[in-house]
């Protein structure tokens, strides 16, 4: 069974979705550890309650990004993960760190990339008046919120949406697609090849993830 390490900075609801999928038998992975860069991350308690090893490396205690990333990599490597899963990890990672985990580092972003990289994606989607919004799971490259797309889920944007209602609709889809993408990796079906995503034996259900159901 493949080992994964999950990196968080806060609430950890995507991490919880991964734990729930594992517990339901839908995600054949060993969650070796959950690591946070913030001591007050609520997700650390959730992970500990689930019996998962937790670590906190407070980025403020390090001289700079490179020093923090080196310590983080050492901590991660202690758990020998096959895949490192960024789940609301709010740190820009150095190029050296990203290259070290080439093809083994995934992220979830709350927009249909390449639209709306960065922060405040839901408000920006509302401000632009887009009719379709969503989330993206992607392999990480050194550019922020960029990289080969593994899976996306789309939701409608409604006339009376607020930032909160749109956030909730997208988050529900995040909790659906992240466990799915990690499962593909765990099953050995998903890999990065020459900068392209390869998924073996995709079914129509894997390929079509438009989610028009309203939350
Ligand atoms: C999610 O919307 C994720 O896409 C983004 O940060 C948020 C983290 O939420 N990168 P949570 O900590 O998983 O609840």
């Amino acid at each position: 069974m493949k080992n994964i390490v999950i990196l968080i900075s806060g609430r950890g609801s995507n991490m919880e979705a991964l734990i729930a999928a594992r517990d339901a038998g839908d995600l054949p992975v060993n969650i070796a550890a959950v690591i946070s860069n913030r001591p007050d991350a609520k997700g650390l308690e959730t992970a500990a309650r689930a019996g998962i090893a937790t670590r906190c490396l407070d980025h403020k205690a390090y001289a700079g990004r490179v020093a923090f990333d080196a310590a983080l990599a050492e901590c991660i490597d202690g758990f020998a993960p096959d895949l490192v899963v960024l789940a609301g990890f709010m740190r820009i990672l150095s190029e050296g760190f990203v290259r070290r985990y080439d093809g083994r580092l995934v992220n979830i972003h709350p927009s249909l990339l390449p639209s709306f990289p960065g922060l405040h994606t839901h408000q920006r989607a509302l401000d632009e008046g887009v009719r379709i919004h969503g989330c993206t799971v992607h392999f990480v490259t050194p550019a922020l919120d960029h990289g080969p797309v593994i899976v996306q889920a789309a939701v409608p944007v409604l006339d009376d949406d607020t930032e909160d209602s749109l956030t909730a609709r997208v988050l529900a889809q995040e909790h659906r697609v992240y466990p799915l993408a990690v499962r593909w990796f765990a099953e050995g079906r998903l890999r990065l090849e020459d900068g392209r995503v390869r998924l073996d034996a995709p079914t129509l259900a894997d390929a079509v993830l438009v989610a028009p159901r309203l939350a």
Side-chain angles (χ1 to χ4, degrees), residues 7-17 43 86-90 107-111 118-119 121-122 134-136 145 167 170-171 174-175 178:
L7 269 52
I8 63 168
S9 296
R11 177 180 58 182
S13 71
N14 277 289
M15 173 204 75
E16 277 185 72
L86 305 180
F89 188 65
M90 303 302 282
N107 182 44
I108 188 156
H109 182 75
S111 78
L119 297 174
T121 55
H122 307 304
C135 59
T136 302
D145 296 329
T167 299
V170 172
L171 193 63
E174 293 186 40
H175 296 165
Y178 218 1

Side-chain angles (χ1 to χ4, degrees), residues 35 45 53 56 88 95 130 136 139 159 186 195 200:
I35 304 173
E45 292 161 32
C56 179
E95 179 160 359
V130 298
T136 302
F139 282 106
D159 287 347
D200 294 336

